[in-house]
Amino acid sequence: MSITVKDVAKKAGVATSTVSRVINDHPSISEETKKKVRKVMDELGYTPNLAARNLGKQISSAIGVVLPPLDSKERIGNPFHLETIETINDEARNYGMSVAIASARDFDTLLENVQRMHRQKQVDGFILTYSDKDDPIIRYLLEEAVPFTLIGQPYIAEEKTIYVDNDNQLLGKQATEYLIEEGHEQILFASNITHENLYYERFFGYQKALMMANLPVHSAATFESPDDYVRFEETLTNTKATAIVVLDDLFAVRIMQLVNLYGYRVPEDISIISFNNSIFATLIHPYLTSIDIDVPSLGKIATQRLMDQLNNKQQRSIRVVVPHRLIKRESVMKRNVQN
């Protein structure tokens, strides 16, 4: 026999109307009651008939997760995206929502996908997992008044946008300060991304730390073409760099391979620090010193803020800052030990 709302209500000790309101995430029901009823639903294996429930409401009970253009192997293989999707999916399940993914190799195709999902009412709102200055998606969502939250700091309409982020400028500053504390003076910043706010904020933090320490600030070593990888050897030679701040763990692995190719050892010759504290940080040797940005909290809070909008609990802009922590491993060595 199939489980009904009455069965759930009986076991939870509440009225059937209460169960219905929990299914619809009604604000009149306390969080304690919602958790109790959802636990019983899980125990009994009860699944709401969302199609029937939504038919009259013109809603889909789905969240659209928009990934940045997956135009490189680094983008496709970046564990940040998978971990973010997993966290959003887990949190959406608490609201009886499913998750649909929008991805493409370029912004034009990505915009078409998002427009189709919106116009065909496949999703009720979106979570953007990136912030890019050339992004047409956020403009479309603003123009169409589509509910969305952003993981990252927006380039436009900051006063109209609900977003969840780390303090990326502080991240870049603290990563660089840690290298300075370890005795490094010639420090580079390396990135394979140049359009996302993530790059600008972390690079600004790098610059600030060096200026405050009266140390030389170098132009960012950006890698967007094969020639950039070739020229990096000359950059290392000219700057006599002993440490590098790298945009994320996945690209840090590439940088480690590159400096090894040029005859440098990590960390004996060049120390490396990166961000995200992903699985890649402990898949290679030496293990990467990395700053943990708490990806689970980013995805969870972004989902909660989107659900607030869908349930008319939140209509104004807001910024939520997720804390971070430094994870010290093997890829950074004190400069005085080297000498």
Side-chain angles (χ1 to χ4, degrees):
M1 293 179 62
S2 60
I3 304 299
T4 67
V5 170
K6 289 183 178 180
D7 297 323
V8 175
K10 183 177 180 181
K11 184 169 182 178
V14 299
T16 54
S17 59
T18 300
V19 176
S20 296
R21 289 190 176 95
V22 171
I23 292 172
N24 288 284
D25 197 34
H26 198 280
S28 66
I29 306 300
S30 69
E31 288 301 318
E32 183 180 355
T33 300
K34 288 178 182 178
K35 288 179 181 178
K36 180 174 70 172
V37 172
R38 287 167 182 160
K39 182 180 179 182
V40 171
M41 289 168 62
D42 287 341
E43 291 173 351
L44 295 178
Y46 174 75
T47 303
N49 186 344
L50 296 180
R53 174 166 67 92
N54 296 338
L55 186 61
K57 293 185 175 183
Q58 293 296 301
I59 60 174
S60 65
S61 285
I63 292 171
V65 177
V66 187
L67 302 179
L70 303 179
D71 53 5
S72 67
K73 289 183 178 179
E74 281 84 3
R75 279 280 181 89
I76 295 172
N78 196 323
F80 173 82
H81 304 312
L82 183 58
E83 189 174 355
T84 303
I85 292 170
E86 181 182 14
T87 302
I88 292 172
N89 188 60
D90 285 345
E91 186 63 19
R93 184 172 172 273
N94 293 330
Y95 294 90
M97 304 287 283
S98 57
V99 171
I101 309 299
S103 65
R105 293 190 64 86
D106 58 75
F107 271 126
D108 290 340
T109 308
L110 188 60
L111 177 59
E112 291 174 4
N113 291 342
V114 169
Q115 290 173 331
R116 185 182 306 110
M117 293 169 73
H118 169 231
R119 291 167 180 169
Q120 294 180 357
K121 299 188 183 302
Q122 297 176 17
V123 299
D124 301 315
F126 292 89
I127 297 175
L128 277 66
T129 62
Y130 63 91
S131 178
D132 192 300
K133 68 183 180 67
D134 297 324
D135 179 30
I137 312 298
I138 193 169
R139 290 182 174 85
Y140 172 78
L141 297 178
L142 287 167
E143 290 169 1
E144 297 294 324
V146 180
F148 76 95
T149 53
L150 173 70
I151 297 178
Q153 184 174 343
Y155 277 94
I156 61 171
E158 187 170 345
E159 74 285 356
K160 300 178 183 178
T161 304
I162 296 173
Y163 62 105
V164 183
D165 198 12
N166 303 108
D167 188 332
N168 281 295
Q169 189 171 146
L170 181 61
L171 261 69
K173 177 175 176 287
Q174 291 184 346
T176 309
E177 286 174 340
Y178 175 62
L179 294 175
I180 295 171
E181 290 168 4
E182 297 298 291
H184 297 274
E185 297 182 351
Q186 296 294 339
I187 303 170
L188 298 178
F189 186 94
S191 175
N192 61 336
I193 295 172
T194 60
H195 296 283
E196 291 191 22
N197 222 332
L198 189 71
Y199 158 69
Y200 291 108
E201 290 296 312
R202 290 179 182 174
F203 183 51
F204 290 158
Y206 153 87
Q207 293 175 308
K208 184 175 182 179
L210 291 173
M211 288 190 292
M212 290 177 64
N214 293 315
L215 293 173
V217 178
H218 301 283
S219 299
T222 56
F223 297 79
E224 296 183 297
S225 71
D227 288 343
D228 294 329
Y229 290 86
V230 176
R231 284 193 291 266
F232 191 55
E233 182 178 18
E234 183 179 349
T235 299
L236 292 173
T237 301
N238 292 341
T239 60
K240 295 181 173 56
T242 64
I244 308 172
V245 179
V246 187
L247 189 72
D248 64 35
D249 295 338
L250 181 56
F251 192 58
V253 173
R254 177 68 65 91
I255 292 296
M256 289 174 68
Q257 294 172 335
L258 190 60
V259 299
N260 286 335
L261 177 66
Y262 293 146
Y264 297 91
R265 298 167 299 165
V266 177
E268 291 85 356
D269 301 316
I270 295 181
S271 290
I272 291 179
I273 187 171
S274 59
F275 305 89
N276 291 11
N277 191 34
S278 68
I279 188 173
F280 287 100
T282 54
L283 283 182
I284 45 83
H285 283 283
Y287 289 165
L288 274 170
T289 293
S290 183
I291 293 184
D292 192 316
I293 61 173
D294 196 358
V295 176
S297 290
L298 289 171
K300 180 178 181 178
I301 296 172
T303 307
Q304 292 172 343
R305 295 291 82 80
L306 177 59
M307 292 308 303
D308 284 346
Q309 294 179 71
L310 297 179
N311 291 312
N312 298 315
K313 294 181 182 177
Q314 193 148 322
Q315 299 294 328
R316 59 185 179 84
S317 66
I318 188 172
R319 180 192 183 194
V320 180
V321 179
V322 172
H324 58 271
R325 61 193 178 100
L326 174 65
I327 308 297
K328 299 178 183 179
R329 295 196 180 96
E330 304 166 349
S331 64
V332 174
M333 179 177 285
K334 277 187 175 293
R335 185 64 181 152
N336 58 8
V337 173
Q338 294 170 305
N339 292 336

